Amino acid sequence: MLELGDVLSIALPAIRHLQYNNPSAEIVCLTYAKGQEIIQAGSPNIKVICLPLGHWPDNIVQAMETFLGLAEEVVEQAFDRIINLDTAFMPCFLSRFLKDAGEPVSGNYLNLSVQDLLQKLQNQTLEADYVNDSENFMNSTFFGMSRLYSRWWEEQALPENGYAEFYLKSCCGFTDIDFDLSIKSSSVAIKSHSRKTVAMATHDPSSKLMLTHVQKSLSEHGVDTVWLDSSLPIVDSLQKLSGSNLLVSTPGAEIWFANAVDCPTLLICGDLDPRFLMPNYATERFVTPKSSDLVESIMSIFSGNADE
């Protein structure tokens, strides 16, 4: 619900998998804020229940009240099956409430009953470590969910699409899923053959400063640049990426956006193991690259002389 990268890389392929295996079923997706834009762009025939932006309070008691309201809306629709793929606390709270109410819930849910949770809140014995760590608060009907906490990225056989594919196939048991997160659009921009275009994205101020220097140097090499702005509609980012020859980004949802429109990616890793996201290219872990080195890497990619 909350992480846009997960909506695109987990929810969308799962929806398509469920559609393929249940062609006559009506499928409804519950998401949050801009998640609705992603689902509507990728599966326009899917009905969406959307918790609007700003309606997910930080205060746990207020958030519980909001999600109990969502539960009423879900119960009213009398679903034959309810699947929670989310691992965050509040979606698991919602699925636990629905499960205790006799609804046909599968997937992830809270390992405390709502009554026990309320008792802990009243007694002020609910610990922050419990709320903030899914390994502490989550149960699942998916038999493979324990693998979520393994060091799966160190295995020899890695999924082509990184964490999202591992999660759906190994944790959720969607072993035969055709991992499809592509988004097609009639308004897709056409890549220029005469000039290369690099899209840039980061939510880190220091990386933004470094990429600004990269932008200036690329301009001197005859390369255009565009910035992805998270405040704009999702389709805006998708269109910019579909018209770009490369995305240069720190870890974030933008990597998945680029995958959705077949735009190659260069990940500025930081301390993230690049096997989580499986980009086309990546900088070294734990090393902040110099802007000059990054420009050299980008030009090497365009000349076909770069190593992954």
Side-chain angles (χ1 to χ4, degrees), residues 70-115:
L70 278 177
E72 292 182 8
E73 187 173 351
V74 171
V75 170
E76 287 175 358
Q77 300 204 32
F79 290 109
D80 297 297
R81 188 179 178 193
I82 298 169
I83 309 170
N84 179 29
L85 297 173
D86 208 310
T87 60
F89 184 84
M90 288 313 305
C92 288
F93 164 80
L94 171 63
S95 58
R96 178 62 194 239
F97 177 86
L98 293 169
K99 185 178 178 69
D100 289 350
E103 294 295 309
V105 172
S106 61
N108 305 327
Y109 61 95
L110 211 63
N111 57 17
L112 278 179
S113 69
V114 175
Q115 182 177 356

Side-chain angles (χ1 to χ4, degrees), residues 47-196:
K47 181 180 177 182
V48 178
I49 300 174
C50 183
L51 183 62
L53 180 66
H55 287 233
W56 189 327
D58 291 332
N59 180 280
I60 187 172
V61 176
Q62 295 173 352
M64 287 167 62
E65 293 174 354
T66 297
F67 275 75
L68 288 175
L70 278 177
E72 292 182 8
E73 187 173 351
V74 171
V75 170
E76 287 175 358
Q77 300 204 32
F79 290 109
D80 297 297
R81 188 179 178 193
I82 298 169
I83 309 170
N84 179 29
L85 297 173
D86 208 310
T87 60
F89 184 84
M90 288 313 305
C92 288
F93 164 80
L94 171 63
S95 58
R96 178 62 194 239
F97 177 86
L98 293 169
K99 185 178 178 69
D100 289 350
E103 294 295 309
V105 172
S106 61
N108 305 327
Y109 61 95
L110 211 63
N111 57 17
L112 278 179
S113 69
V114 175
Q115 182 177 356
D116 288 342
L117 178 65
L118 292 174
Q119 188 67 51
K120 283 183 174 292
L121 281 170
Q122 185 176 1
N123 296 339
Q124 297 184 341
T125 58
L126 186 66
E127 298 180 356
D129 286 345
Y130 176 81
V131 175
N132 296 326
D133 189 344
S134 63
E135 192 169 8
N136 292 332
F137 67 69
M138 194 174 76
N139 277 347
S140 184
T141 64
F142 297 137
F143 295 126
M145 193 54 63
S146 61
R147 293 206 63 204
L148 180 64
Y149 310 106
S150 69
R151 299 182 66 85
W152 60 270
W153 59 91
E154 296 180 350
E155 298 176 3
Q156 289 187 343
L158 290 173
E160 182 179 349
N161 296 283
Y163 164 74
E165 185 174 350
F166 160 78
Y167 179 73
L168 286 172
K169 286 186 174 181
S170 298
C171 299
C172 300
F174 294 177
T175 54
D176 60 340
I177 189 172
D178 179 15
F179 190 85
D180 179 14
L181 52 70
S182 62
I183 295 180
K184 309 298 181 185
S185 172
S186 59
S187 55
V188 163
I190 304 300
K191 293 178 175 63
S192 170
H193 295 289
S194 58
R195 290 176 67 91
K196 299 294 186 183

